Amino acid sequence: MTLETSPLDGKRLLLIIGGGIAAYKCLDLIRRLKEKGMSVRTILTRSGAEFVTPLSISGLSGEKVYTDLFSLTDEVEMGHIRLSREADLVLVAPATADMMAKMAAGLADNLATTALLATDKPVMIAPSMNSRMWEHAATRRNLQQLKEDGVHIIPPGSGELACGEEGTGRLAEVDDMIGAIEFFFKPSGPHEEPLAGKHILITAGPTYEAIDPVRYMANRSSGKQGYAIARALADLGAKVTLVSGPTNLAAPAGLQMIPVESAAEMLAACQNALPADVAICVAAVADWRVSNCAGQKIKKQDGALPALQLTENPDILKILSTDKVNRPELVIGFAAETENIAANAQAKLKRKGCDWIVANDVSTKDGPSVMGGDYNKVILFRGKDREDWALGHKDEIAKNLAQKIAEFYA
Ligand code: C5P
């Protein structure tokens, strides 16, 4: 694996941690940013301190944590003006509805809001709140105002929220926050963007096949690996179209995302996105769909089981690989296997007509779980050529694959 320098190496972040249950994610964020060579100075708001402690933050950041505008020690050591300017980027995470309202109104009633008003550096926010609060007209208004003020937004994800409700409002995952920060600091220039001018189509996530208006069947897939690949390719300058089934992940910055539900929708979106130079099918597409999908919710009837009729879904990878008019120059498939990984992957490569296949071992016997987890163990097959990669973070696997694609074009 090639070890490249992160665009975050030597950069300075001022992280403002607001008061939300998701504040705990910031601890991992700090750790990961430090690993990438970024220095992280933190302002912890009073409500943020209800969720994480200054001690745990400074333990990870290796820096003093600033909390109080009126603390003389803080002001003597480091005035709030200096604090707000001795950074390359200011990130507010989690950005609560209250914090967004204060920022939009330009209030400066504590150290965090004062620093935000005093800074001359770019500001990014990662909102996190209950979905009703996120959708409230006041929050929409504040979000619009912040966008107009040039604040960069890391959109919240959707799914189950800490309050037990479902909806949009979850703080973006750490990977997505890092992706957004890296995208922000991404060096520009043709020599650093080996995939500039290339259009890359990626499928990710599961597909949902409706049984009736409230039920569906699907494969397990978090979408993490596909999103990471999309981010890594965008980082190398590619124009990326990400066709994604339903996931809890926020749309990565700097690429076009087309959300879909079913395999049929995924195929249509892929075909619409052609021509593309490269297609990478990472999605865990459901093999079947229900051909007699009910128009109304199927009622339970004294133990009688509904007779679902299944029909085979289109094989998107195979269709793209065998497209007579618009076949991308390089088509890459994924093969999740639990046994005979190499043999099954080789057979799949032939059957589907793709050029490369990335086989991943989804059995959990050695190491952390791949499904939904952050790590992956893969073998890359390029025709007969086989490369076994060490267990790595999905981001690392993504970067390596993006690098291989860049080498293909080099
Ligand atoms: O046949 P299997 O599902 O194991 O093949 C996996 C590969 O095929 C993955 O790249 C997946 O994205 C792709 N695939 C597809 N459309 C399907 C089934 C799988 O694109 N209907």
Side-chain angles (χ1 to χ4, degrees):
M1 288 198 196
T2 42
L3 278 180
E4 4 151 335
T5 338
S6 164
L8 305 186
D9 197 20
K11 295 284 189 296
R12 302 162 306 171
L13 180 74
L14 175 63
L15 174 65
I16 297 178
I17 303 183
I21 187 119
Y24 74 90
K25 287 187 188 170
C26 289
L27 298 178
D28 198 30
L29 177 68
I30 295 170
R31 185 184 62 78
R32 298 268 306 278
L33 291 174
K34 293 277 295 175
E35 276 173 10
K36 287 175 182 284
M38 193 173 209
S39 69
V40 184
R41 222 170 233 170
T42 311
I43 294 179
L44 182 62
T45 65
R46 187 165 300 186
S47 45
E50 300 288 336
F51 297 94
V52 287
T53 70
L55 199 59
S56 46
I57 296 168
S58 61
L60 288 163
S61 70
E63 304 233 13
K64 179 176 161 56
V65 174
Y66 299 86
T67 50
D68 191 355
L69 179 59
F70 303 106
S71 152
L72 279 179
T73 6
D74 284 3
E75 278 294 304
V76 168
E77 279 175 18
M78 163 78 66
H80 64 273
I81 305 285
R82 246 184 79 199
L83 187 57
S84 72
R85 301 204 181 149
E86 282 187 0
D88 300 299
L89 175 71
V90 182
L91 169 67
V92 186
T96 58
D98 177 66
M99 176 67 93
M100 285 174 62
K102 283 183 171 147
M103 288 173 73
L107 296 183
D109 59 347
N110 58 38
L111 179 60
T113 47
T114 307
L116 282 162
L117 209 55
T119 190
D120 57 354
K121 294 301 182 324
V123 175
M124 200 177 258
I125 64 168
S128 168
M129 64 198 73
N130 165 275
S131 55
R132 283 277 170 89
M133 294 168 81
W134 174 245
E135 277 149 23
H136 194 284
T139 308
R140 304 275 94 199
R141 228 173 21 242
N142 294 332
L143 182 68
Q144 187 53 34
Q145 183 61 58
L146 292 170
K147 283 183 184 167
E148 282 169 25
D149 293 347
V151 171
H152 302 263
I153 315 291
I154 306 176
S158 48
E160 195 181 335
L161 306 174
C163 53
E165 289 180 19
E166 289 265 335
T168 302
R170 281 159 68 116
L171 180 64
E173 295 304 323
V174 172
D175 281 346
D176 296 307
M177 290 194 270
I178 291 176
I181 300 169
E182 281 184 331
F183 181 75
F184 180 83
F185 286 113
K186 187 177 68 154
S188 51
H191 57 288
E192 280 121 355
E193 297 198 330
L195 292 175
K198 300 288 175 214
H199 177 210
I200 304 189
L201 169 66
I202 304 181
T203 69
T207 63
Y208 283 4
E209 309 299 333
I211 294 172
D212 66 18
V214 297
R215 303 183 180 94
Y216 61 83
M217 56 178 206
N219 285 355
R220 283 185 207 282
S221 171
S222 65
K224 284 181 183 175
Q225 185 64 84
Y227 279 51
I229 294 169
R231 272 198 306 270
L233 291 163
D235 282 350
L236 295 188
K239 174 181 170 236
V240 177
T241 305
L242 172 62
V243 179
S244 174
T247 71
N248 288 331
L249 308 174
L255 51 82
Q256 196 199 1
M257 185 166 109
I258 305 174
V260 295
E261 284 220 342
S262 64
E265 284 172 15
M266 185 172 272
L267 174 63
C270 287
Q271 288 178 322
N272 260 335
L274 293 176
D277 298 285
V278 182
I280 313 176
C281 293
V282 196
V285 181
D287 291 304
W288 308 281
R289 67 177 179 279
V290 180
S291 53
N292 59 341
C293 169
Q296 303 295 331
K297 183 179 173 189
I298 302 170
K299 294 280 171 218
K300 279 201 273 186
Q301 280 171 358
D302 300 331
L305 299 176
L308 300 182
Q309 279 163 20
L310 300 183
T311 187
E312 205 159 297
N313 262 334
D315 190 321
I316 301 167
L317 174 60
K318 194 168 179 180
I319 291 172
L320 294 176
S321 297
T322 51
D323 189 312
K324 294 231 161 35
V325 184
N326 268 328
R327 187 197 195 274
E329 188 178 2
L330 179 62
V331 181
I332 306 174
F334 268 67
E337 301 291 347
T338 53
E339 55 179 2
N340 299 331
I341 297 165
N344 287 340
Q346 289 277 21
K348 203 163 281 181
L349 184 88
K350 260 212 180 115
R351 198 167 64 242
K352 307 252 184 180
C354 55
D355 305 297
W356 298 0
I357 204 148
V358 181
N360 52 329
D361 184 353
V362 293
S363 65
T364 48
K365 57 186 183 313
D366 47 40
S369 159
V370 166
M371 293 277 196
D374 289 327
Y375 289 83
N376 205 351
K377 169 113 180 58
V378 308
I379 309 171
L380 172 66
F381 292 95
R382 290 178 290 184
K384 292 244 170 308
D385 176 58
R386 168 185 176 148
E387 262 184 38
D388 289 67
W389 293 1
L391 178 78
H393 194 277
K394 285 182 177 172
D395 274 353
E396 286 304 315
I397 304 280
K399 281 191 181 141
N400 279 302
L401 185 63
Q403 198 54 45
K404 295 284 171 196
I405 295 170
E407 283 166 19
F408 172 83
Y409 281 109

